[in-house]
Amino acid sequence: MLVEYYFPQSISPARLDRYLSGGWFRSGPSLFRTQVLCLEGGVFPVVNIRTQLEGYTFSKSLRKILRKNDERFRVEVGMASVDAAKESLYTQHKHRFKGFIYETLEEFLFSGEIGDLFDTWEVRVYDQLELIAVSYFDRGKGSLASLLALFHPAYESFSMGLYTMLKEVQYGIEAGFKLYYPGYILKDFSGFDYKLRLGYNQYYNWKGKWRKMDRLSEELFSLDKIQYSIENVLKHLDALGIHYQVLYYPFFAMGYLEMIEEDFLRSVIYIKLDHAKRAFDPNLQMVIEYVIEEDLFYLSWVRPNHDYVDMMNAEFSENFFKGQVVDEGMLVRDHLLCMENSASAVVAKAARFIHEEDTFLTGSWL
């Protein structure tokens, strides 16, 4: 599956370790894993990484950051909590986030859930009495999973995001943990590469194996297959002179939520076909998507649905909708016209629907 969710009622430390080792990470009260992300106007493969703590030593440059900041600031590690000072840091830090942004720190960590589902801890950094940075991490039996780091913008020159991550690693080593999960990086997007400065890194290859980072270039990702399939469709559309737009769809993960009845689009890339018959219903769009789990091409009428966007209680980063990213809300399949196992077949069927208006209007689609 391109995207998977798990909503545990309870989760033991050992069980959390198993999920982390399978490429999962936490979002609010759920565990989640995705092989792709639509972010800042592009689509990128997700690369989950981890650092081995047994035998770990900080590099010279990391020791310098630790020494410099340890001399100036006071650090505490303890159970996680949310208060006004931390919410203030979250608000000041929001502009640095990419993608979906929760309205509050409380929403990010707990999404309104009450209880101790996860064993969440925090690193607090003080300049004298003022809280200037905080980071959060979950504890498993032998693993730590980093969640979020916040810092006051006045202290950016002190590498606070990296510093709190180093303090989490330091805590993990001293407490006898074996693995540290700093989250993920994105292939061909450098925004999260600072996590690689830890060294001793491994990546998850989506086939159940953790491998050394120097083998990352050998991997073929699901996004590679999706892009190849979409490009195949475009060649056939070009050959027939059919006009189209290729769009990135950041809400694709909603299509994988089983508790939602709406038939949401679940393709991170789709092709919107331009045709005269859209005037029949201005809200309808004819699209082609490639569904990787079924290795099939879908041709559908879809329409925007803004209700669920409003219900998400989330904001979007500044460049969320730039470039080829669709900004028409979440897309729901109004009618699935056909499923085909080849690009040529789905384009042929699309051409029929586009050019035979009488066939569409009478409902004799197939």
Side-chain angles (χ1 to χ4, degrees):
M1 296 284 285
L2 199 64
V3 182
E4 294 176 85
Y5 294 91
Y6 173 53
F7 296 88
Q9 298 300 308
S10 64
I11 187 163
S12 68
R15 194 175 184 191
L16 178 60
D17 283 356
R18 291 195 293 272
Y19 272 92
L20 293 173
S21 69
W24 297 73
F25 54 94
R26 179 158 82 86
S27 176
S30 69
L31 290 164
F32 172 78
R33 66 176 179 179
T34 178
Q35 297 189 45
V36 295
L37 274 182
C38 184
L39 193 69
E40 303 299 284
V43 179
F44 307 94
V46 173
V47 182
N48 290 291
I49 61 173
R50 71 183 185 185
T51 298
Q52 295 175 300
L53 298 184
E54 290 183 297
Y56 181 89
T57 57
F58 293 106
S59 67
K60 183 178 179 181
S61 62
L62 297 181
R63 290 199 304 272
K64 182 178 179 181
I65 292 172
L66 281 168
R67 183 173 61 253
K68 174 185 174 183
N69 287 349
D70 284 350
E71 290 174 354
R72 171 158 183 174
F73 305 115
R74 175 169 57 89
V75 176
E76 297 176 352
V77 179
M79 294 290 294
S81 65
V82 176
D83 57 26
K86 294 165 189 173
E87 286 286 7
S88 177
L89 285 180
Y90 184 82
T91 300
Q92 294 178 78
H93 201 93
K94 268 187 185 180
H95 71 281
R96 304 178 66 91
F97 296 147
K98 308 295 183 184
F100 298 100
I101 305 172
Y102 285 92
E103 184 176 348
T104 67
L105 177 61
E106 177 76 26
E107 282 288 330
F108 177 91
L109 288 175
F110 308 117
S111 293
E113 296 291 320
I114 300 174
D116 54 356
L117 185 60
F118 294 91
D119 184 15
T120 306
W121 286 53
E122 64 185 15
V123 172
R124 300 180 294 271
V125 183
Y126 295 89
D127 187 355
Q128 298 184 40
L129 297 178
E130 181 185 4
L131 180 70
I132 61 168
V134 62
S135 67
Y136 294 90
F137 61 95
D138 286 337
R139 302 196 317 174
K141 183 177 181 180
S143 308
L144 300 181
S146 187
L147 300 173
L148 175 72
L150 309 168
F151 57 84
H152 192 287
Y155 292 84
E156 184 173 1
S157 63
F158 290 92
S159 302
M160 275 295 157
L162 178 59
Y163 178 59
T164 55
M165 186 168 67
L166 298 180
K167 299 307 287 188
E168 290 176 2
V169 169
Q170 194 173 62
Y171 167 83
I173 294 171
E174 292 172 357
F177 288 89
K178 297 179 179 179
L179 293 167
Y180 177 74
Y181 292 85
Y184 57 80
I185 61 172
L186 300 179
K187 189 173 180 289
D188 304 320
F189 180 84
S190 61
F192 304 110
D193 286 357
Y194 68 91
K195 300 173 184 179
L196 297 174
R197 291 187 62 182
L198 287 177
Y200 296 83
N201 294 303
Q202 297 175 316
Y203 73 91
Y204 186 72
N205 72 348
W206 296 107
K207 298 174 184 176
K209 302 292 184 183
W210 288 88
R211 308 175 76 182
K212 292 183 179 179
M213 289 301 300
D214 59 10
R215 300 187 64 180
L216 183 61
S217 61
E218 304 172 10
E219 296 295 335
L220 287 176
F221 293 91
S222 292
L223 183 58
D224 297 325
K225 186 174 182 180
I226 293 170
Q227 289 175 323
Y228 173 81
S229 300
I230 292 293
E231 289 167 4
N232 232 347
V233 173
L234 300 184
K235 291 176 184 177
H236 290 283
L237 290 172
D238 288 337
L240 293 179
I242 298 175
H243 298 289
Y244 58 82
Q245 293 176 274
V246 179
L247 294 167
Y248 300 146
Y249 179 55
F251 302 112
F252 72 100
M254 288 292 291
Y256 291 84
L257 277 170
E258 295 180 356
M259 72 281 291
I260 294 180
E261 295 182 1
E262 296 278 11
D263 187 17
F264 282 113
L265 212 66
R266 56 176 179 165
S267 298
V268 70
I269 305 173
Y270 71 92
I271 302 166
K272 176 181 173 183
L273 303 179
D274 298 327
H275 53 89
K277 288 181 288 298
R278 190 180 182 193
F280 180 76
D281 182 341
N283 291 317
L284 285 176
Q285 307 169 22
M286 184 181 285
V287 306
I288 296 175
E289 55 180 317
Y290 174 68
V291 178
I292 191 169
E293 291 85 4
E294 301 173 33
D295 193 22
L296 289 174
F297 297 91
Y298 281 27
L299 177 68
S300 307
W301 287 105
V302 303
R303 67 172 67 247
N305 181 317
H306 297 281
D307 295 339
Y308 280 87
V309 177
D310 296 336
M311 290 170 57
M312 286 178 64
N313 197 26
E315 305 168 19
F316 307 106
S317 56
E318 182 179 356
N319 295 318
F320 189 82
F321 290 114
K322 78 174 185 179
Q324 293 173 250
V325 177
V326 65
D327 59 358
E328 298 174 321
M330 297 180 186
L331 298 175
V332 179
R333 290 192 192 93
D334 189 84
H335 190 87
L336 176 61
L337 297 172
C338 67
M339 297 180 291
E340 302 290 345
N341 59 14
S342 71
S344 59
V346 77
V347 170
K349 193 65 65 72
R352 174 185 166 188
F353 292 135
I354 290 172
H355 296 301
E356 296 181 12
E357 183 174 358
D358 290 341
T359 301
F360 169 68
L361 293 176
T362 58
S364 303
W365 296 331
L366 302 180

